[in-house]
Amino acid sequence: MKIKSVSSHLLRVPLGDKTFYSSQAAFPERNSYLVRIETDTGLVGWGEGGQYGPAQPVAAVVDHVFAPRILGRDPTEPVRIWEALYAFSRDFGQRGTYIEALSAIDIALWDIAGQAAGLPVWKLLGGRFRDKITAYATGCYYPEDFSHLPSQLTALHEEAAGYANAGFGLLKVKIGLLSLEDDIARLRTIREAVGPTIGLLVDANHAYNAATAVRMGRMMKDLGVLFFEEPVVPEDREGYRKVRAENPIAVAGGECEFTRYGFRDFIASGCVDIVQPDLAVCGGFTAFTQILTLANSWGVSTVPHVWGSGIAVAAALHAVATIPAFPFTANAIPLLNQPVIEFDRKHNPLRDDLLHQRFELIDGCLAVPDAPGLGVTVRDDILDQYTY
């Protein structure tokens, strides 16, 4: 079997009145970069790469740099191809766009390898520890009119209660756009809405310096927050260590980190309690397996970051299924020592409509696909509708 063709698909969904904010910027659209790899036997694999910036640079790397180097190669050797592409681009592509492009290709190759073997990716990776994964809802972003706190609190109460009523036992909330006091007011409203048993997670999207993050962590202590994601900018390793040492909440991060080399330094230097590789960013399944080994070696939990289309969600389900309970107990508990999966709840047809298969929350969990490869198939009509 040989790789016959590689094609890029840039997808965009304008959000209109559903625009929302994190601490960093408005989200007026949802977008994804997908790669389609076809073999000479007719098998097709899909991958996703890049999550945080424009898709065009990722597509350019795939189309003009990587694709010519993998045409004619055996697609059932994703690790070998990963190492060849990384070695070729090491001098100029150790991070960022090149690794995002490599992530997309790697995910698509594992998809093909699984289909060729008649096995789901999780089985190729060594087997799954669970057939369903506890999901946490990511929501409670900021509205466009984020300066009017009273109306925001009313809407937050309703939104958060909706997640609890839908069966989520964990909820991740955005912070960092407002003052510490206003964000604490938002968190108190959410806690009141969901009750005492729902686990709260917070994500600052690197909005703070270390001293402010420590202060915020201490202010959140009585709200039962279980982890504090990206408290400082990803380059500030010393800041991460300070926040981890001086605030009472577990520190999570890593969605902006790349390959085993970046995560080696991030983990070994004591930055986080929970590491969050994104498969569409860090280097795909091949890099994920290496990062997981590094994290386990240093006593750090792994909870992948998930953002993007249904392809990214499917890939994450396969990856999270292969994470062992850490540390092992006879009764693994979600987030305490059993991995969970992020399930973004903001409007995104690329996640909810792109695939023939739908991700359904049942008893607070998402099922791990059983079909060969990623176990999902793309709807051509939705692909065409949102391709630009």
Side-chain angles (χ1 to χ4, degrees), residues 125-196:
L125 294 174
R128 66 184 179 189
F129 291 89
R130 56 200 65 84
D131 58 10
K132 59 182 180 180
I133 301 169
T134 298
Y136 69 83
T138 294
C140 298
Y141 285 75
Y142 298 91
E144 282 197 277
D145 184 18
F146 55 79
S147 61
H148 189 254
L149 188 61
S151 61
Q152 189 180 157
L153 295 181
T154 301
L156 274 174
H157 193 285
E158 181 179 352
E159 181 184 354
Y163 298 134
N165 293 335
F168 286 100
L170 296 165
L171 168 60
K172 187 165 81 175
V173 178
K174 294 294 178 172
I175 61 173
L177 187 62
L178 304 181
S179 69
L180 303 191
E181 292 74 17
D182 284 353
D183 270 338
I184 289 294
R186 295 173 69 253
L187 290 173
R188 292 194 187 282
T189 296
I190 292 166
R191 172 55 76 197
E192 178 185 310
V194 302

Side-chain angles (χ1 to χ4, degrees), residues 289-323:
T289 61
Q290 300 161 345
I291 294 161
L292 177 61
T293 299
L294 282 168
N296 283 358
S297 299
W298 284 91
V300 171
S301 299
T302 302
V303 177
H305 176 266
V306 187
W307 176 267
S309 81
I311 297 297
V313 176
L317 283 166
H318 284 271
V320 176
T322 69
I323 301 174

Side-chain angles (χ1 to χ4, degrees), residues 52 229-230 240 252-258 263 266 272 274-278 281-282 305:
Y52 318 123
E229 181 175 335
E230 281 204 312
Y240 260 103
E255 68 183 70
C256 296
E257 198 49 80
F258 303 87
F263 279 91
F266 191 56
V272 287
I274 300 166
V275 71
Q276 298 174 294
D278 189 309
V281 174
C282 72
H305 176 266

Side-chain angles (χ1 to χ4, degrees), residues 219-273:
M219 292 171 70
M220 294 189 295
K221 179 180 179 181
D222 295 336
L223 293 169
V225 174
L226 301 178
F227 74 55
F228 189 175
E229 181 175 335
E230 281 204 312
V232 297
V233 297
E235 303 94 331
D236 187 7
R237 302 291 174 82
E238 184 59 37
Y240 260 103
R241 288 189 288 271
K242 177 180 174 66
V243 176
R244 188 182 181 205
E246 297 181 19
N247 108 95
I249 298 170
V251 173
E255 68 183 70
C256 296
E257 198 49 80
F258 303 87
T259 76
R260 59 184 181 262
Y261 301 111
F263 279 91
R264 175 198 62 191
D265 300 336
F266 191 56
I267 294 168
S269 61
C271 292
V272 287
D273 302 285

Side-chain angles (χ1 to χ4, degrees), residues 111 114-115 118-125 127-133 285 310-322 341 355-360 365-377:
D111 187 17
Q115 293 177 57
L119 299 171
V121 170
W122 57 258
K123 189 172 283 289
L124 293 186
L125 294 174
R128 66 184 179 189
F129 291 89
R130 56 200 65 84
D131 58 10
K132 59 182 180 180
I133 301 169
F285 286 110
I311 297 297
V313 176
L317 283 166
H318 284 271
V320 176
T322 69
I341 189 161
L355 306 178
H356 287 281
Q357 303 78 8
R358 294 186 68 87
F359 305 107
E360 301 288 347
C365 298
L366 298 179
V368 178
D370 275 321
L374 289 178
V376 296
T377 52

